[in-house]
Amino acid sequence: MATSAASVRTLLVVLGDQLAPDHPVLQELDPDRDAVWMAEVAHESRHVLSHAARTTLFLSAMRHFARQLRKAGLSVHYRHLGEHPEPTLGEALDTDLERLQPTRVIVLQPGEHRVCRQLEATCRTRGVPLEVREDPCFLVSQTTFEQWAGTRKQLRMEYFYRQQRAALGILMNGDEPAGGQWNFDADNREHFGRDGPGLLPPPVAFEPDTITRECRDAVARYLPELAGQTDAFDWPVTPEQAQQALADFIQHRLPLFGTYQDAMWTDQPWLYHARLSAALNLHLIHPRAVIDAAEQAWRDGHAPLPAVEGFIRQILGWREYVRGLYFHFGEAWHEWNALEADQPLPALYWDAETSMQCLHQAVGQTLKRGYAHHIQRLMVTGLFAQLLGVRPAEIHAWYLGIYVDAVEWVELPNVVGMSQYADGGRMASKPYVATGRYIQRMSNYCRHCPFDPAEALGAKACPFTTLYWDFLDRHRERFARHPRTALQWKHLEKMDPERLEAIRAQARHIRDTLAQGDRI
């Protein structure tokens, strides 16, 4: 029997990134006395301008989840986009707390401090106890992470990853790592060469069903200002589809994932990547299931160890590590700007209108699909923002809104720390900066570009290369004696002073041009 408005005991708040089919609190609910609360709130797509595909994905996955709960006999109070006036999540919840009068509210740990504050404030105002529980859809609890962090002067991912591999028995042979080493990075940095990737098996795609089409229409109607397109939407929106996506990746792309995980190619968005991060971050699939499937592929002889280790490191290593860092440092992530970056985010990030082919490809693909793989994010869009000196808050807001897999716990440390070095080295030991030659080596973008990655001066100079030398010059005092960056700065010391001054002038021209809204 469904609960009535006057008989709710426990109200379980389920957020859009907490859609696990085995959500632990669901097992505690009494269908006659308890209820689930879910809400589609326009403000969640507006507090940073979101990609229309990102919002469509969240809404579709939420509606599919709510449908399954109702089939299981649970009472679900669900607010659809456009059907209620409350602009924020907290205000929407407040209205229903007044109507339902629950004796307590339960929620799993939200993946964003802002959301947690809203829920806490709303429940406090209404005098309803709020119980925030550990989210079990991760492999490492925050308590475990804090215990690890408390023993370290520097919180480096590699050491965290090794400890968790051993603790969880992943890719281990007894007490030793499989293959006799922890890290196979040296085997996983290949490019495609001049002939390109050849014929690639397309990833399994999911044609939008009725629910997804309704969500897409609702986004177009109620949030017409959102960025990007939804014509190519084919993401998994249910646990069953997420399992199909995993099986497809393991079978067709995992064997060469490691070799080519850093490679890029014109008009090839997927290559050997998994397309599983969004499903993982919405909890449609558990990370242990993904890791176990990859490890089994190695043990069965289907995929080589370097590929499997590289893939598992992205999940057990980076994914768990950045979540720990997000909660470890808390709200401070939003304030950090160690390199004193002060440039606005260029308009090209919203329309891909630029002669720089790498950015045209990476941003254009992002606007079309809400997706780019980790090297396109780190070493194209992220690298350019860092070299240019974009304010961390602005590039953070872009990444958070523009990618379908973005939730703040994973996006904020990766952007502020890994990509922009705005955290002053708390996450990465050095800034990830390079000239346009890196992009030339790892892709074919430069073949179709009017700029020459070998040149830092003149009309054909690659803006990445010009800005790289200018970055070294501007941050000379900070990094020239850094043990991991000294070699890069030694090259700067050898540069002719007149040439360096000319590079400074050309870099100023690039920054001024982009700050004015013009294109290069």
Side-chain angles (χ1 to χ4, degrees):
M1 181 180 71
T3 58
S4 68
S7 62
V8 173
R9 178 187 61 174
T10 296
L11 188 65
L12 171 62
V13 172
V14 175
L15 302 173
D17 59 342
Q18 299 178 347
L19 309 178
D22 57 349
H23 190 302
V25 184
L26 293 176
Q27 311 307 316
E28 303 175 18
L29 300 185
D30 180 345
D32 294 330
R33 305 175 65 192
D34 305 323
V36 173
W37 185 85
M38 302 176 71
E40 301 170 3
V41 182
H43 182 259
E44 292 304 301
S45 295
R46 287 173 171 154
H47 79 280
V48 295
L49 185 63
S50 290
H51 195 296
R54 177 177 183 258
T55 298
T56 299
L57 173 64
F58 272 76
L59 300 193
S60 179
M62 289 169 64
R63 293 187 189 187
H64 280 91
F65 184 79
R67 183 176 66 174
Q68 291 303 114
L69 295 185
R70 290 187 175 116
K71 284 184 178 180
L74 291 173
S75 178
V76 182
H77 298 275
Y78 194 102
R79 289 171 160 260
H80 289 81
L81 190 67
E83 294 179 355
H84 57 94
E86 293 85 359
T88 70
L89 187 69
E91 289 167 326
L93 178 60
D94 181 69
T95 297
D96 280 339
L97 290 182
E98 181 178 23
R99 179 172 66 90
L100 299 172
Q101 295 291 309
T103 58
R104 65 170 179 168
V105 174
I106 299 176
V107 68
L108 297 183
Q109 177 67 59
E112 186 169 350
H113 298 299
R114 175 188 61 86
V115 171
C116 195
R117 287 198 308 271
Q118 283 190 44
L119 299 180
E120 288 172 343
T122 300
C123 290
R124 185 168 55 249
T125 299
R126 285 287 169 190
V128 181
L130 174 65
E131 185 178 339
V132 180
R133 295 193 183 179
E134 181 83 27
D135 189 336
C137 292
F138 294 90
L139 299 173
V140 181
S141 70
Q142 194 60 30
T143 299
T144 299
F145 184 89
E146 295 299 341
Q147 290 170 348
W148 172 80
T151 66
R152 300 280 174 177
K153 291 183 178 179
Q154 295 181 321
L155 306 182
R156 300 293 181 238
M157 190 281 290
E158 182 66 26
Y159 303 108
F160 169 81
Y161 168 64
R162 293 182 185 187
Q163 180 172 310
Q164 299 313 314
R165 280 262 303 271
L168 297 171
I170 294 171
L171 284 181
M172 299 294 294
N173 287 330
D175 294 332
E176 298 298 319
Q181 61 191 73
W182 295 100
N183 188 316
F184 288 86
D185 256 357
D187 299 303
N188 292 341
R189 294 171 177 163
E190 294 299 316
H191 53 80
F192 292 120
R194 292 195 62 83
D195 294 334
L199 293 176
L200 291 167
V204 62
F206 301 96
E207 184 71 21
D209 63 6
T210 300
I211 289 178
T212 300
R213 292 195 299 272
E214 289 173 350
C215 292
R216 191 165 57 187
D217 292 344
V219 169
R221 178 179 179 183
Y222 297 111
L223 294 165
E225 74 275 22
L226 297 194
Q229 307 161 31
T230 59
D231 295 345
F233 188 97
D234 62 356
W235 295 99
V237 294
T238 67
E240 295 76 18
Q241 290 179 345
Q243 288 289 344
Q244 292 176 47
L246 171 62
D248 175 74
F249 168 68
I250 297 293
Q251 178 64 32
H252 297 295
R253 292 183 301 287
L254 176 61
L256 287 174
F257 166 80
T259 304
Y260 297 119
Q261 66 175 305
D262 289 358
M264 301 171 283
W265 202 259
T266 299
D267 296 331
Q268 293 283 351
W270 315 123
L271 297 170
Y272 290 98
H273 290 267
R275 293 208 331 158
L276 287 168
S277 56
L280 280 164
N281 292 351
L282 269 61
H283 295 0
L284 301 181
I285 193 168
H286 196 281
R288 188 65 197 239
V290 177
I291 288 172
D292 287 349
E295 182 170 2
Q296 192 61 48
W298 166 63
R299 296 196 182 277
D300 290 344
H302 175 66
L305 182 57
V308 172
E309 188 278 318
F311 177 67
I312 287 176
R313 182 159 13 99
Q314 290 195 0
I315 300 171
L316 176 59
W318 283 111
R319 187 172 184 271
E320 298 285 335
Y321 167 72
V322 297
R323 181 175 183 267
L325 286 180
Y326 176 77
F327 288 107
H328 179 74
F329 289 116
E331 299 278 16
W333 283 107
H334 291 277
E335 307 300 324
W336 287 330
N337 186 2
L339 301 184
E340 300 179 346
D342 62 358
Q343 290 290 303
L345 184 71
L348 67 87
Y349 280 74
W350 295 107
D351 57 23
E353 292 183 8
T354 174
S355 297
M356 292 178 283
Q357 186 63 203
C358 58
L359 279 167
H360 176 72
Q361 279 284 316
V363 176
Q365 170 189 307
T366 294
L367 294 173
K368 182 178 181 180
R369 301 180 180 277
Y371 170 84
H373 72 65
H374 66 276
I375 292 299
Q376 291 174 311
R377 299 190 202 192
L378 178 64
M379 298 305 293
V380 180
T381 55
L383 174 60
F384 190 73
Q386 183 179 34
L387 296 178
L388 189 66
V390 173
R391 288 185 284 266
E394 291 197 29
I395 189 65
H396 149 62
W398 184 79
Y399 275 102
L400 180 58
I402 209 70
Y403 287 111
V404 295
D405 58 2
V407 182
E408 192 178 81
W409 65 262
V410 66
E411 175 275 330
L412 185 60
N414 267 316
V415 172
V416 171
M418 184 74 172
S419 175
Q420 302 300 297
Y421 200 81
D423 66 344
R426 290 173 175 84
M427 183 175 180
S429 60
K430 65 174 183 175
Y432 282 81
V433 293
T435 70
R437 283 187 178 276
Y438 174 84
I439 296 169
Q440 182 184 42
R441 182 170 70 254
M442 299 306 299
S443 75
N444 70 333
Y445 294 156
C446 299
R447 291 189 214 169
H448 311 287
C449 187
F451 301 114
D452 184 347
E455 297 296 331
L457 286 174
K460 293 186 176 181
C462 173
F464 278 83
T465 303
T466 303
L467 292 169
Y468 168 81
W469 291 110
D470 180 70
F471 179 92
L472 297 191
D473 179 51
R474 287 186 291 117
H475 299 293
R476 188 189 304 241
E477 285 191 23
R478 178 184 290 271
F479 296 113
R481 294 176 181 82
H482 189 293
R484 294 202 64 197
T485 60
L487 183 59
Q488 288 174 287
W489 268 262
K490 283 183 180 178
H491 292 311
L492 182 71
E493 298 296 334
K494 299 176 183 177
M495 186 175 290
D496 178 77
E498 291 185 2
R499 177 176 175 80
L500 181 56
E501 183 54 44
I503 288 174
R504 291 172 183 149
Q506 187 148 335
R508 284 195 298 270
H509 175 71
I510 293 171
R511 286 196 292 272
D512 290 345
T513 298
L514 293 174
Q516 293 166 8
D518 296 329
R519 304 298 197 273
I520 55 174

